[in-house]
């Protein structure tokens, strides 16, 4: 109970490591994911017929035999759904139309009474292809020798901040021209030039993609999907299927891991398309793990040419990046990854002269989408390693070099925007101290060599210029609170953190706040997407505003009833108190029915509904030729990672002795959840550095299963990881908070590459730093026999 | 499609089920018994999301035919908590922060429960080895291992 | 392009009550029926469409398949239905065949080892099979029941190529018998995978050694290699070096070099031929050294 008399305030939920509010369901198996939803006997099962060719014309499709198979309800092909769609650049269709552009592309789909029958029906569909020459390399694809994969690129809708080149395979060419690199090279005392290749990888959510779609007799559709973007899916699928947005309802249960793979629209459109042909019958499609690996979304491959130079005092003067992104058969989403890498292409370094060409190239490879980091991991793999070498060449200690050149508040950054206050110096210090970076330590055995590496990073939320969040807050007769929001719980803890924020802004206990889930576009307020590490900041602002709005309404009612000033009132643990008169009343007494006036004079107030909305108003476009503009992004989160490793000279295997990851999160609303994110992101980064690669041969993924696409397992994580975070407040973040979801997997490859270099003097040309690569490099360098 | 009638015990309840002979134990649990706590992550015996106890030992239920389970005793994640009270493993891993998206969690709970049954005081390395077949993409495993260690002390 | 089934394709499950029934069924349905125990290999291949059968024949109830026993004269008998975990934790295995426990423990995950069997590993005849090499150097003999009754097949004449064995239609491998190892035997299994543990082998090396007065060096070594040849491969030339010459660091290195030269690995998704050869050398050297250190104590 609140104690108005003593004016004691209980501890705030902000900054408290409160227990997640979804953990009971998850440990008992009662949490509902999309494949757990029950639909009864009317449920139909979908199977997709996919292209076996990387690039081919479709001459004919004969579905007649499939349609006749007993148990088959619907068969569809591309001609039934010709509308182009996409989050940014509309270059994608639900099914291939006149040609296929990657192995695995959907060509047709069947809805039938069982998965087995749907699969058999797909086998009966006859497709005639005319093979076309394919493109498997981004630099080649960007050249004028390559065949065109999207000859109609010029006709696609494109937002005005992307710059496609019709008549080529380049769907976005983002440039930075800042200062004068040509002149600056001449001033440089030391220059490093390197090329790195970063392969495609996949998100590997443990829950694969899945969706169920149902269209009613009036043409209203409901889609249940494992989704990071229920509202974006509503918008994009509605447009593609000519349904008005209000008549397309997306319900998004808990997500078993997203990492960007479940953003935008991918396979969800397929059951939606089928459902339009069998009104009243729900159609379900769950991707197999194999389909998840290569038919849906992957992370783009990158070939990056980096040139960086500094003066004799160690000031970095110039940086040139030429980045060819192997973006796959569609770049509706990936074109913005290329842009984001471009406008952040300096990394968190203060460099006055920058020339960047970030080139998004169509290839006949799997589709590059949004992947945790959104281009930052690939970018930093290049620049952090080149700068690591530059530091050594210039004779500087690495940490000194990083600290000297790291971006500071007030610096004009790569796009011309001013950098805000940030904790990069403290992050570097934390990591250097944690792994004792300056201390050269002996290997633990004569069969090993030892080295340490450090790398820094930054990332801004990469979005459209106008991504909005909104929220509502309601209370019930018990005085407890329900928060309506549109962002998704992917495991990052957003439902928990939003409950904490609502509790703090309203004045109730965290335990008394519920999130209105599952997210349902029919009832939940709009949220752009659960991506970009933006929810804590953006949706947090909306939730805080909604709770504050509810609080103001409540205090206005009570003030009027008590004839007091709202400024003298407060809500503490769900009780409205007056610091002046010391009167109190629990919220339950007034949030539905209001308060009675004196002397049978009627009522004050009524049902309390708070609303809040947040959309950054200040993002601007950037110049086509120079990439300069007043405000490219909302803000940057900075950070640093370091690794202390040993390499086995007999096998090339890398053993991590200890590691550290430090990020400036602005304000840790829930410190243990923040640490959990950083730990998980670090391991995903380490996994991408050590093991992961989509092995493509002539457009075929040769390792589309866990057997040969390896990810980190528990025994691989047998070292201590220190995760000290820094808090330099974000001026427009709720309680100063900023996002950190993606950042921990960004600098890990570079930090490991730098550690390998420190241990062996060998700079490998790209991840994964497999034992084989490391061993053979050491062997060829004479470091091992 | 040929069917088989099997009788088995699932979470202390006797069940008699008619299963298609190509149906896996995972599919039977999820589709015939509506026990959706056990998850499908790969259907190839690699990710461990489908782990259940079969006659006391953890197995990938996607790699077991339902038809083989005549007379078997199966425990799924739904069978770990008793009367709403979480088991030590569930409580400790939850408290340690070893749950994010939750999709690997049911399988982890089963593997960890079986580990502590056969090895009540495992080292960190023994814990990691016991869960090598339970892939997690969210947590980095640190807090899962810590949670299991705490459960051993409870 | 891979197009796996969501679950398993249509098939019938058959559980014969006797070995005679099993052999008869398998012979009658040769090509459309397959025996299985743990299913961890064949279920995956069925799902991928690489293997197509109408019948899966469960051998787990048949006589002799559940046996796991040690006889001081006969040796160790492991039935076809005994999961790898049971073998790895058996006190007689740990006492007399610790290298077999090591090899079994290196396979996959705890969950898979509760279903996977050593006989299944052998019959699958993958060159990467982790327990095959150890069973070979332990001179394992398979007890097979076919349409003509029982017969024995020594392991070193069992393999014809990747996935191919000398088994005939109607054959069910009931168990393997590993003779009592020579006195003073020491053995190890060294495996290199991509992850720390739990992976398929890029290279696997099974080495055992024991005192042997008949041998010029005073010792006999057996060396079997996985994932570097079409079948699990016994490195006879390398063994000969350790038999003929006095065992020193140099002879061990020489034996390892010869092992490396005698293998013909391929480039595949797990590793290149070049790396595999060098790893054969390094792991063989490491394994022989470890065994020698214990033998020469």
């Amino acid at each position: 109970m609140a104690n108005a008399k003593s004016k004691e305030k209980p501890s705030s939920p902000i900054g408290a490591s409160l227990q997640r509010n979804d953990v009971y369901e998850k440990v008992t198996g009662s949490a509902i994911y999309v494949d757990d939803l029950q639909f009864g006997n009317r449920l139909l099962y979908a199977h997709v017929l996919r292209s076996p060719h990387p690039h081919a014309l479709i001459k004919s499709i004969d579905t007649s035999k499939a349609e006749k198979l007993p148990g088959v309800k619907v068969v569809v092909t591309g001609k039934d759904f010709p509308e182009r769609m996409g989050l940014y650049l509309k270059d994608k269709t639900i099914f291939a139309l006149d040609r296929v552009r990657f192995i695995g592309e959907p060509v047709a789909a069947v809805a039938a009474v069982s998965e087995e029958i749907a699969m058999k029906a797909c086998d009966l569909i006859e497709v005639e292809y005319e093979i076309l020459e394919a493109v498997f390399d981004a630099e080649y694809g960007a050249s004028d020798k390559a065949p065109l994969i999207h000859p109609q690129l010029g006709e696609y809708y494109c937002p005005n901040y992307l710059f496609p080149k019709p008549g080529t395979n380049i769907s976005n060419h983002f440039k930075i021209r800042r200062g004068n690199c040509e002149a600056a090279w001449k001033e440089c005392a030391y220059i490093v030039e390197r090329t790195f290749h970063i392969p495609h990888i996949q998100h590997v959510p443990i829950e694969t993609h899945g969706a169920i779609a149902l269209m009613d007799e009036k043409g209203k559709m409901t889609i249940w999907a494992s989704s990071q973007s229920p509202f974006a899916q509503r918008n994009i699928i509605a447009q593609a299927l000519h349904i008005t947005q209000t008549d397309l309802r997306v319900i998004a249960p808990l997500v078993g891991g997203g990492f960007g793979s479940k953003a935008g629209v991918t396979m969800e459109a397929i059951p939606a398309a089928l459902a339009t042909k069998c009104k009243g019958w729900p159609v379900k499609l769950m991707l197999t793990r194999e389909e998840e690996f290569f038919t849906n979304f992957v992370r783009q491959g990158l070939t990056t040419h980096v040139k960086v130079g500094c003066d004799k005092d160690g000031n970095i003067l110039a940086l040139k990046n030429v980045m060819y992104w192997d973006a796959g058969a569609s770049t509706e989403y990936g074109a913005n990854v290329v842009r984001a890498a471009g406008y952040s292409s300096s990394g968190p370094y203060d460099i006055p002269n920058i020339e960047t060409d970030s080139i998004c190239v169509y290839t006949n490879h799997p589709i590059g989408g949004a992947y945790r980091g959104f281009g930052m991991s690939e970018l930093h793999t290049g620049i952090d390693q080149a700068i690591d070498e530059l530091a050594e060449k210039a004779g500087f200690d690495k940490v000194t070099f990083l600290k000297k050149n790291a971006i500071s508040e007030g610096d004009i950054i790569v796009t011309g925007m001013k950098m805000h206050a940030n904790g990069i110096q403290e992050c570097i210090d934390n990591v250097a101290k944690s792994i004792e970076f300056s201390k050269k330590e002996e290997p633990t055995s004569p069969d090993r060599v030892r080295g340490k590496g450090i790398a820094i990073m930054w990332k801004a939320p990469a979005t459209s210029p106008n991504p909005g969040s909104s929220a509502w807050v309601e209370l019930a007769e018990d005085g407890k609170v329900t928060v309506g929001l549109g962002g998704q719980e992917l495991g990052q803890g957003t439902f928990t953190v939003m409950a904490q924020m609502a509790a703090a802004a309203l004045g109730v206990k965290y335990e008394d706040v519920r999130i209105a889930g599952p997210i349902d576009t029919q009832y939940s307020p709009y949220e752009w997407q659960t991506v970009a590490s933006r929810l804590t900041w953006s949706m947090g602002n909306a939730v805080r505003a909604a709770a504050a709005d509810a609080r103001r309404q409540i205090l206005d009612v009570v003030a009027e009833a008590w004839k007091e000033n709202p400024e003298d009132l407060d809500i503490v643990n769900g009780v409205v108190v007056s610091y002046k008169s010391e009167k109190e009343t629990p919220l339950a007494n007034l949030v539905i029915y209001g308060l009675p006036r004196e002397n049978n004079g009627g009522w004050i107030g009524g049902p309390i509904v708070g609303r809040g909305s947040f959309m950054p108003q200040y993002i601007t476009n950037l110049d086509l030729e120079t990439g300069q503009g007043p405000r490219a992004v909302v803000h940057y989160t900075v950070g640093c990672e370091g690794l202390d490793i040993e390499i086995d000279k007999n096998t090339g295997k890398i053993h991590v002795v200890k590691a550290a990851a430090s990020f400036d999160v602005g304000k840790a609303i829930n410190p243990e959840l923040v640490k959990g994110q950083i730990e998980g992101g670090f391991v995903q980064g380490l996994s991408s550095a050590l093991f992961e690669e989509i092995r493509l041969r002539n457009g075929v993924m040769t390792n589309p299963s866990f057997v040969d696409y390896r990810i980190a397992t528990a025994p691989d994580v047998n070292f201590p990881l220190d995760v000290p975070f820094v808090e330099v407040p974000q001026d427009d973040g709720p309680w100063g908070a900023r996002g950190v979801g993606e950042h921990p997997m960004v600098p890990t490859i570079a930090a490991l590459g730098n550690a390998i270099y420190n241990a062996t003097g060998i700079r490998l040309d790209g991840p994964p730093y497999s034992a084989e690569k490391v061993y053979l490099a050491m062997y060829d360098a004479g470091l091992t026999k | 499609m040929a069917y088989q009638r099997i009788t088995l015990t699932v979470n202390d309840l006797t069940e008699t089920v008619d299963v298609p002979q190509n149906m896996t134990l995972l599919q039977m649990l999820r589709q015939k018994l509506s026990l959706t706590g056990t998850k499908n992550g790969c259907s190839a015996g690699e990710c461990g999301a489908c782990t259940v106890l079969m006659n006391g030992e953890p197995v990938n239920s996607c790699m077991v035919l339902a038809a083989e389970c005549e007379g078997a005793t199966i425990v799924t994640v739904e069978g770990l908590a008793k009367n709403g009270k979480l088991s030590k493993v569930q409580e400790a891993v939850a408290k340690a922060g070893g749950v994010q998206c939750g999709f690997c969690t049911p399988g982890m709970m089963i593997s960890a429960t079986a580990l502590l049954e056969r090895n009540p005081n495992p080292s960190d390395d023994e814990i990691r080895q016991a869960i090598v077949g339970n892939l997690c993409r969210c947590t980095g495993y640190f807090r899962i291992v810590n949670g299991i260690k705490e459960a051993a002390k409870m | 392009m891979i197009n796996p089934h969501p679950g398993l394709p249509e098939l019938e499950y058959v559980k014969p009550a006797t070995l005679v029934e099993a052999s008869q069924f398998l012979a009658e349905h040769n090509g459309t029926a397959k025996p299985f125990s743990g299913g961890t290999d064949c279920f995956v291949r069925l799902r991928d469409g690489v293997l197509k059968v109408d019948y899966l024949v469960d051998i787990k109830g048949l006589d002799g398949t559940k046996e796991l026993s040690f006889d001081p004269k006969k040796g160790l008998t492991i039935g076809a239905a005994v999961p790898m975990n049971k073998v790895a934790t058996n006190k007689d295995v740990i006492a007399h065949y610790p290298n077999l426990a090591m090899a079994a423990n290196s396979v996959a995950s705890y969950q898979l080892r509760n279903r996977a069997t050593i006989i299944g590993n052998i019959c699958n005849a993958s060159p990467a099979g982790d327990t095959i090499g150890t069973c070979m150097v332990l001179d394992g003999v398979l007890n097979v029941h076919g349409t003509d009754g029982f017969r024995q097949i020594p392991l070193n004449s069992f393999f014809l190529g990747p996935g191919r064995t000398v088994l005939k239609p109607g054959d069910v491998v009931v168990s393997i018998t590993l003779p009592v190892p020579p006195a003073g035997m020491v053995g190890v299994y060294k495996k290199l995978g991509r992850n720390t543990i739990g992976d398929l082998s890029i290279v696997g090396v099974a080495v055992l050694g024991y005192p042997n007065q008949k041998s010029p060096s005073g010792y006999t070594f057996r060396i079997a290699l996985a994932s570097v040849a079409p079948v699990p491969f016994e490195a006879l030339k390398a063994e000969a070096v350790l038999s003929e010459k006095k065992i020193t660091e140099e002879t061990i290195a020489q034996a390892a070099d010869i092992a490396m030269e005698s293998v013909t690995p391929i480039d595949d998704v797990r590793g290149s031929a070049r790396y595999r050869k060098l790893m054969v050398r390094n792991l063989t050297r490491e394994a022989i050294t470890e065994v020698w250190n214990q033998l020469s104590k």
Side-chain angles (χ1 to χ4, degrees), chain A residues 22 51 62 85 139 142 186 235 248 337 341 391 419 467 523 537 569 596 608 687 739 744:
Chain A
D22 59 358
S51 167
D62 183 355
M85 57 193 224
E139 281 186 89
K186 302 193 179 76
N235 192 31
L248 176 54
V337 171
M419 186 59 184
Y523 302 104
W537 172 74
L569 304 178
I608 303 291
S687 185

Side-chain angles (χ1 to χ4, degrees), chain A residues 57-78:
Chain A
L57 295 175
I58 298 177
K59 305 299 283 180
S60 68
I61 307 182
D62 183 355
T63 59
S64 55
K65 293 200 188 87
E67 288 164 34
K68 292 198 194 84
L69 190 68
V72 169
K73 271 261 199 266
V74 182
V75 183
V76 297
T77 65

Side-chain angles (χ1 to χ4, degrees), chain A residues 315-463:
Chain A
N315 297 302
I316 301 177
L317 297 182
L319 170 66
K320 183 172 149 88
N321 288 297
V322 181
M323 300 190 274
Y324 288 95
W325 298 84
D326 182 333
S330 157
T331 68
E332 50 100 4
Y333 210 137
N336 201 28
V337 171
V338 172
R339 172 173 175 264
Y343 65 56
S344 296
S345 56
S346 59
Y349 301 96
D350 182 28
I351 305 173
N353 303 288
I354 303 178
E355 190 184 320
T356 293
D357 289 89
S358 187
I359 303 163
C360 184
V361 187
Y362 284 122
T363 59
N364 296 113
H365 275 155
I367 296 177
Y371 185 113
R372 188 177 197 175
F374 215 72
M376 292 302 102
S377 178
E378 306 91 294
L379 168 76
H380 286 80
T381 296
I383 57 180
D384 269 327
Q385 291 195 79
I387 288 171
D388 186 71
E389 257 184 74
L390 185 65
E392 188 190 51
K393 215 167 173 180
F396 279 83
D397 154 69
K398 307 272 166 75
V399 170
T400 308
F401 197 78
L402 290 178
K403 286 174 70 79
K404 192 185 192 32
N405 287 288
I407 198 86
S408 309
E409 184 179 3
D411 286 344
I412 304 298
I413 68 168
V414 50
T415 54
M417 182 181 131
K418 232 194 211 175
M419 186 59 184
H420 52 82
N422 69 85
I424 188 74
Q425 296 291 332
E426 207 182 323
C427 291
I428 297 169
D429 288 335
N430 282 341
V431 169
K433 180 158 167 233
S434 180
I435 65 168
E436 296 181 284
F437 185 78
S438 52
K439 184 171 161 198
K440 177 110 182 94
E441 293 186 75
E442 287 305 303
T444 56
S445 123
D447 280 333
R448 295 184 174 192
V449 292
R450 189 159 176 174
K452 297 185 185 182
I454 191 167
I456 58 177
M457 64 75 65
W458 72 349
K459 180 183 185 290
T463 63

Side-chain angles (χ1 to χ4, degrees), chain C residues 142-279:
Chain C
L142 298 174
N143 305 306
V144 180
H145 183 276
T147 48
D148 293 332
F150 285 98
R151 70 187 195 284
Q152 270 64 50
I153 308 177
L155 210 48
N156 57 16
S157 52
F158 183 67
F159 301 102
L160 296 174
R164 285 171 31 231
T165 69
V166 299
L167 290 177
K168 300 200 305 279
D171 278 348
V172 175
V173 178
V174 177
S175 61
I176 185 171
T177 299
L178 302 170
V180 179
M185 180 207 76
V186 174
V188 297
Y189 181 66
K190 289 243 168 272
K191 174 177 171 175
L192 177 68
R194 290 157 292 192
N195 296 79
T196 304
I197 59 168
D199 193 2
L200 292 174
S201 63
I202 300 172
V203 164
V205 176
V207 171
L208 67 78
Y210 55 91
N212 184 358
Q213 287 170 340
K214 296 203 201 99
S215 192
S217 69
Y219 295 88
T220 291
F221 278 80
R222 303 283 299 278
I223 302 169
L225 306 169
S227 293
V228 290
V231 295
F233 178 85
E234 189 162 355
L236 298 169
K237 292 208 189 91
E239 291 173 358
V241 168
L242 297 170
S243 182
E244 264 123 54
K245 296 192 179 172
K246 177 166 144 76
I247 296 173
T248 63
E249 213 179 295
E250 283 74 38
T251 30
I252 293 176
Q254 194 187 0
D257 279 332
I258 290 173
M260 173 175 75
E261 278 146 34
S262 59
V263 295
T264 53
I266 54 168
D267 288 332
D268 75 10
V269 69
R270 270 156 238 149
S272 69
R274 184 184 178 213
Y275 181 63
R276 284 189 151 112
K277 282 184 87 114
L278 289 163
M279 289 304 103

Side-chain angles (χ1 to χ4, degrees), chain C residues 40-102:
Chain C
T40 54
D41 284 317
C42 69
F43 286 6
V44 174
R45 286 160 55 217
L46 282 167
R47 195 175 153 262
D48 286 347
V50 168
L51 172 67
K52 287 184 177 55
V53 294
D54 296 326
Y55 304 96
L56 276 178
V57 179
D58 188 352
I59 57 100
K60 291 196 282 292
L62 300 172
D63 274 345
T65 59
K66 288 216 165 63
E67 187 170 350
L68 179 60
S69 65
F70 176 71
D71 177 277
K73 292 206 187 68
K74 226 176 113 191
L76 180 72
T77 299
I78 306 172
V82 179
M84 288 201 190
N85 272 340
K86 287 263 177 309
V87 176
T89 53
N90 178 273
K91 60 171 175 50
D92 293 315
V93 173
I94 293 169
H96 303 283
Y97 308 81
N99 45 347
L100 183 62
M102 231 172 140

Side-chain angles (χ1 to χ4, degrees), chain A residues 653-697:
Chain A
K653 271 196 163 234
I654 294 172
H655 301 272
V656 179
V657 178
K658 55 183 182 293
S662 183
F663 292 88
D664 176 6
V665 303
K667 172 73 184 174
I669 306 293
N670 186 318
E672 288 305 300
L673 285 189
V674 166
K675 289 184 192 171
Q677 265 299 283
I678 295 173
E679 289 162 9
F682 179 90
V683 171
Q684 193 173 9
L686 185 64
S687 185
S688 73
L690 287 175
F691 304 123
E692 297 183 42
E693 181 184 11
I694 293 182
R695 299 175 70 110
L696 291 161
R697 300 278 177 278

Side-chain angles (χ1 to χ4, degrees), chain A residues 203-254:
Chain A
H203 314 62
V204 190
I206 306 299
E207 179 204 26
T208 62
H209 280 69
I212 301 118
L214 169 64
M215 177 171 259
D216 72 13
E217 297 299 333
K218 280 174 69 179
K220 285 180 65 167
M221 180 177 286
T222 306
I223 298 175
W224 294 259
S226 177
S227 166
Q228 296 176 234
S229 310
F231 289 90
Q233 290 178 345
R234 176 178 76 174
N235 192 31
I236 294 170
I237 296 176
Q239 286 179 46
L241 297 179
H242 305 295
I243 303 171
T244 196
Q245 280 81 348
T246 305
D247 286 344
L248 176 54
R249 177 181 180 186
V250 179
I251 301 175
L254 290 173

